[in-house]
Amino acid sequence: MSASPSDIQHVIQSSSPEKGATVSTSSAPDGFFAQFAGNPFFTGGLGLAGFAAILAGAQKGLRQGASLLKRRLLVDVDINVKDDTYQWFLYWMTIHHRRQFSTAVQSNPSEKLGIIESLLRRFPTRMHHLSIATSKTQLPNGAVQTQFALIPGPGRHILRYKNAFILANRVRETKSMGLNNGNPWETITLTTLYSQRHIFEALFLEAHELAQKSVEGKTIVFTPRTASWEKFGEPRRKRTLESVILDEGVKEHIVADVKDFLRSEQWYYDRCIPYRRGYLLHGVPGSGKSSFIQALAGHLDYNIAMVNLSERGLTDDRLNYLITILPKRTFVVLEDVDAAFSGRTMSDESGYRGANVTFAGLLNAIDGITSGEERILFLTTNHVARLDAALVRPGRVDMTIRLGEATRYQAAQLWKRFYGDIDEDGVNQTRFLQALEELGIVQAEGQEPPESVNMTSTAALQGLFLKNKHSMEGAIAGASELRRS
């Protein structure tokens, strides 16, 4: 049965979409992304994220570029607190700042300066972070003298040295403490242009010379603190050998032996002998033992390290360690060594024991396997008979010197020191020596010293002269007071 044309047209119209209907020709995924692309919040966030990524990349690039530029144009030098240069530089920076300030204040208006120098003087470098350093020194009369000094504190300081600017950054680590002394760990970082790096060598050389000048003509005394040596007060003015009057020839004999030892280092090494020397000075109190050690240190440009064997907390290990880390060119002095073990008792493990250090520990520190070399040791005692033979044997004590009561020679030399300028003909000196002879204090000229209980010490003689420093007659009349010394 055939369909008519009208029927076919009706079928086509009925299968066509209704009017107003929309036909989608895109796939489902394309429609998903299209929805996000058409969302203004999504496109705005994506733009911000892209901008942030560009900024982060630029920041990283700038940081790396600045680091590269710093490595190319700047140079850093680090100094830690354990280095000797640390204290030298702090002292130099303080003095350098004072010099610049005084130069700016005392500048001469008529002085002709270049443009750059004029600008530099108009804007002087300054330190705004300061610390105070306090030092205490006990005087012979028992008084304590306190001194204060301002030094550069933690923080950044700008310095100008030889027309070069230096950034000094002093950092103190409050959470990190030194095991030896308990002080905070500190570092100083110096930064300047790479083209001006040569100034560091000149700066450190000047700082070292300045530090040497600050102690020039002085003797530094060290005392142990925990596991290190610390300066005891301010450096003391050097005492001359001429200021200590020993019996005739004694002083010269000791000085000659010490100088010979200092010249014989290679001789000791060639014969595999430990390079160390020990001296025992004994005698009555006031005979000049400690004074001579101080004068000898000044004469040889040495310092002194004092050790108190009766100190609480001083153990065998600590004493041994302190002896091995002794500062260069320093005498070790153990004063009144007999008193440290006067009340010693026997211990099964450590031998004789004193307050803290054992007698065996002392022997090992002086002449043990771990004992340091390049060392000069002085022991002093008023009672040599109380010392153990093991302590004074050769190898530990190489020379024993007795500094006894005042002799005729010492009395005459002391008189010349105090009254030589007013007793030019020596008449009063002769009267004084005759008075001492009559009292049995000194021997007659050309005779052996008397065996008398009236003999006195050089300290007592000096005390008499100090009491009568303006009166020779008073000194002669007071000679009888020496019998009680």
Side-chain angles (χ1 to χ4, degrees), residues 348-362:
D348 293 337
E349 298 180 357
S350 303
Y352 289 115
R353 179 178 295 277
N356 290 279
V357 178
T358 65
F359 187 68
L362 173 61

Side-chain angles (χ1 to χ4, degrees), residues 245-485:
I245 299 177
L246 303 182
D247 201 7
E248 192 170 7
V250 174
K251 178 170 55 179
E252 292 76 12
H253 178 58
I254 303 175
V255 173
D257 187 85
V258 174
K259 288 184 176 180
D260 179 71
F261 170 76
L262 296 176
R263 292 192 299 262
S264 305
E265 181 177 2
Q266 191 61 45
W267 186 92
Y268 276 79
Y269 289 150
D270 291 342
R271 289 156 180 79
C272 298
I273 302 174
Y275 183 56
R276 46 182 177 254
R277 192 85 171 157
Y279 299 87
L280 172 62
L281 306 182
H282 68 94
V284 298
S287 57
K289 297 181 290 293
S290 300
S291 299
F292 173 73
I293 295 173
Q294 184 180 354
L296 181 62
H299 179 70
L300 298 175
D301 199 21
Y302 264 63
N303 298 316
I304 298 174
M306 302 290 299
V307 180
N308 180 11
L309 296 176
S310 301
E311 177 188 346
R312 292 293 177 182
L314 183 63
T315 62
D316 293 348
D317 293 339
R318 184 180 165 209
L319 175 63
N320 205 345
Y321 179 71
L322 288 169
I323 297 297
T324 58
I325 63 168
L326 193 69
K328 296 292 185 182
R329 299 186 66 83
T330 301
F331 292 153
V332 184
V333 180
L334 306 179
E335 285 195 310
D336 299 324
V337 68
D338 60 293
F341 300 96
S342 59
R344 66 187 184 183
T345 58
M346 183 61 117
S347 171
D348 293 337
E349 298 180 357
S350 303
Y352 289 115
R353 179 178 295 277
N356 290 279
V357 178
T358 65
F359 187 68
L362 173 61
L363 298 181
N364 289 329
I366 295 176
D367 187 33
I369 296 176
T370 58
S371 181
E373 296 197 11
E374 301 183 24
R375 184 208 67 207
I376 297 178
L377 171 70
F378 282 93
L379 307 176
T380 68
T381 179
N382 297 331
H383 309 282
V384 68
R386 298 178 184 176
L387 300 182
D388 196 296
L391 179 62
V392 296
R393 70 157 176 81
R396 295 190 176 116
V397 173
D398 302 289
M399 178 180 287
T400 301
I401 306 99
R402 182 180 186 274
L403 305 183
E405 295 81 357
T407 63
R408 183 185 184 89
Y409 171 82
Q410 291 173 290
Q413 295 300 315
L414 278 171
W415 179 276
K416 290 180 181 178
R417 172 181 299 171
F418 281 87
Y419 306 114
D421 54 340
I422 57 177
D423 185 26
E424 297 180 356
D425 54 4
V427 174
N428 289 302
Q429 175 185 323
T430 303
R431 291 175 55 203
F432 178 72
L433 294 176
Q434 288 176 350
L436 295 182
E437 289 179 24
E438 294 173 0
L439 294 169
I441 295 176
V442 301
Q443 75 277 22
E445 191 170 2
Q447 297 182 6
E448 292 296 324
E451 302 243 346
S452 171
V453 295
N454 292 333
M455 296 186 69
T456 189
S457 65
T458 52
L461 278 172
Q462 180 171 288
L464 174 65
F465 294 154
L466 288 173
K467 182 180 178 181
N468 301 277
K469 55 181 176 292
H470 300 302
S471 174
M472 292 186 290
E473 293 296 332
I476 296 172
S480 59
E481 300 175 5
L482 298 173
R483 291 185 298 181
R484 299 190 297 269
S485 302

Side-chain angles (χ1 to χ4, degrees), residues 126-162:
R126 298 177 180 176
M127 290 188 292
H128 298 278
H129 305 277
L130 299 174
S131 296
I132 189 168
T134 307
S135 60
K136 295 182 179 180
T137 305
Q138 186 171 3
L139 302 178
N141 60 2
V144 177
Q145 183 181 18
T146 305
Q147 295 180 343
F148 304 94
L150 293 176
I151 61 175
R156 290 181 171 87
H157 310 276
I158 298 178
L159 309 174
R160 182 166 61 89
Y161 178 69
K162 295 185 176 180

